[in-house]
Amino acid sequence: MDKKKLAVPLVCHGHSVRWLIILQSITPDGFFLISASKAVWSCCLDTNALYAASGSADFSAKLWDALTGDEKHSFEHKHIVRACAFSEDTHFLLTGGFEKILRIFDLNRPDAPPREVDNSPGSIRTVAWLHSDQTILSSCTDIGGVRLCDVRSGKIVQTLETKSPVTSAEVSRDGRYITTADGFTVKFWDANHFGLVKSYNMPCNVESASLEPKLGNKFIAGGEDMWVHLFDFHTGEEIGCNKGHHGPVHCVRFSPGGESYASGSEDGTIRIWQTGPANHEENDSHPANGPTGKVKVSADEVTRKIEGFHIGKEGKAGEKDKAADV
């Protein structure tokens, strides 16, 4: 990508307050994005984008029908729920927050008490599943490091050491890497052996980073300077810088196919940027960072699909956005 060329993103309005989290999913039915803000600290979609979950300041995690926006169940907590994540098989929901407790809810038995995993040393900021739902990952708001917990024993088996608190942790689609953002650093870890693969200093204090899922040859990062930076994964060289947000960037995520990426900012907008011209032959011949045989959606198709969602004057969206903007 030419840094001098002005990138024009698709801008999604609807949020009117600070803090935005976003997550994207691609299914045989199309491309979907979920976002949340204000009192909703986290949100996620299941693999097929049929269900959504949210963690909120109202001391609850909620399960939603992503097609209708109807609430399916509310899982009560005793404090703010800061993070949530569906298991790969969508049978379980993992939550964490100010209580410093990781909880696993069985979605096939939503009224059953959750399983509580070994207490966290601090307020939980991020959670994720890896190793086919056999390991859970978590980081804390005010303590450095990423803790990896064995689901069967409920005990921490490894800690990835960082100097600053980890504000973003992402498991790559092929399960090879864990991407973390902490302070002025983006790190890549071996998700199976837990060694540090690469560490790059950033031009600003970053809050979020995401690895391109198809080829794994670039990554993005966003933070307090209000810009979305694109880097070469192998060298750490900045190869693109997208400007347009009017507040710190709190979350960045690649689309599952890597053709575009989204950024969520304190300015209340989500911006969707095109990674570059899609080259499906190259992508299919070098499946370095994701499974083949997935649905292919170009950036133009993504734009058309998202523009099909109507957002009204009060910020309420049609179809799936009712669940997204909780």
Side-chain angles (χ1 to χ4, degrees), residues 59-72:
F59 297 9
S60 76
K62 295 184 184 295
L63 178 68
W64 307 85
D65 186 317
L67 300 177
T68 66
D70 295 333
E71 180 182 317
K72 304 293 289 184

Side-chain angles (χ1 to χ4, degrees), residues 22-311:
I22 51 178
L23 188 68
Q24 303 185 70
S25 178
I26 192 168
T27 77
D29 295 320
F31 177 94
F32 303 99
L33 178 147
I34 186 171
S35 65
S37 65
K38 197 175 181 178
V40 181
W41 286 90
S42 63
C43 60
C44 58
L45 285 170
D46 76 334
T47 304
N48 296 313
L50 296 177
Y51 294 98
S54 60
S56 175
D58 68 359
F59 297 9
S60 76
K62 295 184 184 295
L63 178 68
W64 307 85
D65 186 317
L67 300 177
T68 66
D70 295 333
E71 180 182 317
K72 304 293 289 184
H73 197 83
S74 181
F75 302 100
E76 301 307 314
H77 293 64
K78 296 179 181 178
H79 213 308
I80 293 172
V81 182
R82 187 71 185 267
C84 62
F86 283 108
S87 61
E88 184 179 333
D89 60 15
T90 319
H91 291 166
F92 300 96
L93 180 67
L94 172 66
T95 67
F98 283 32
E99 287 184 84
K100 306 178 183 180
I101 299 173
L102 291 168
R103 289 185 173 91
I104 300 174
F105 294 90
D106 187 339
L107 299 182
N108 294 316
R109 300 186 303 139
D111 293 318
R115 179 184 173 188
E116 294 188 356
V117 184
D118 196 42
N119 286 1
S120 172
S123 175
I124 298 168
R125 173 73 178 261
T126 65
V127 296
W129 299 81
L130 66 160
H131 301 155
S132 299
D133 302 334
Q134 296 303 305
T135 306
I136 55 179
L137 171 159
S138 66
S139 69
C140 297
T141 303
D142 49 6
I143 300 174
V146 172
R147 279 149 286 280
L148 298 161
C149 180
D150 183 271
V151 172
R152 292 161 293 188
S153 67
K155 301 298 182 182
I156 294 174
V157 295
Q158 187 79 23
T159 299
L160 310 180
E161 299 292 347
T162 64
K163 292 182 179 180
S164 302
V166 171
T167 53
S168 169
E170 176 193 72
V171 180
S172 63
R173 290 196 75 201
D174 62 359
R176 290 178 58 191
Y177 299 111
I178 299 170
T179 304
T180 61
D182 65 290
F184 285 80
T185 308
V186 171
K187 295 182 174 67
F188 299 92
W189 311 81
D190 187 312
N192 296 302
H193 303 288
F194 308 124
L196 180 62
V197 178
K198 294 181 181 294
S199 178
Y200 295 121
N201 293 327
M202 296 288 104
C204 70
N205 187 15
V206 296
E207 288 200 34
S208 185
S210 181
L211 178 64
E212 194 279 328
K214 193 77 173 184
L215 301 177
N217 58 0
K218 56 179 72 75
F219 68 95
I220 50 174
E224 64 181 11
D225 68 357
M226 302 183 286
W227 299 347
V228 183
H229 302 270
L230 179 68
F231 298 92
D232 184 286
F233 170 77
H234 301 289
T235 66
E237 178 189 359
E238 183 174 308
I239 55 178
C241 182
N242 294 320
K243 305 176 182 180
H245 281 298
H246 303 291
V249 176
H250 293 305
C251 187
V252 293
R253 283 294 180 268
F254 266 102
S255 64
E259 297 89 353
S260 63
Y261 50 93
S263 56
S265 167
E266 195 164 312
D267 63 14
T269 67
I270 297 169
R271 295 172 187 262
I272 300 176
W273 314 83
Q274 184 172 335
T275 305
N279 185 335
H280 292 311
E281 280 188 17
E282 177 186 354
N283 288 355
D284 290 342
S285 62
H286 298 83
N289 217 42
T292 59
K294 298 293 183 181
V295 177
K296 298 173 184 176
V297 179
S298 69
D300 290 339
E301 289 176 295
V302 169
T303 301
R304 289 197 297 271
K305 288 179 183 295
I306 294 178
E307 285 178 339
F309 289 88
H310 172 69
I311 299 178

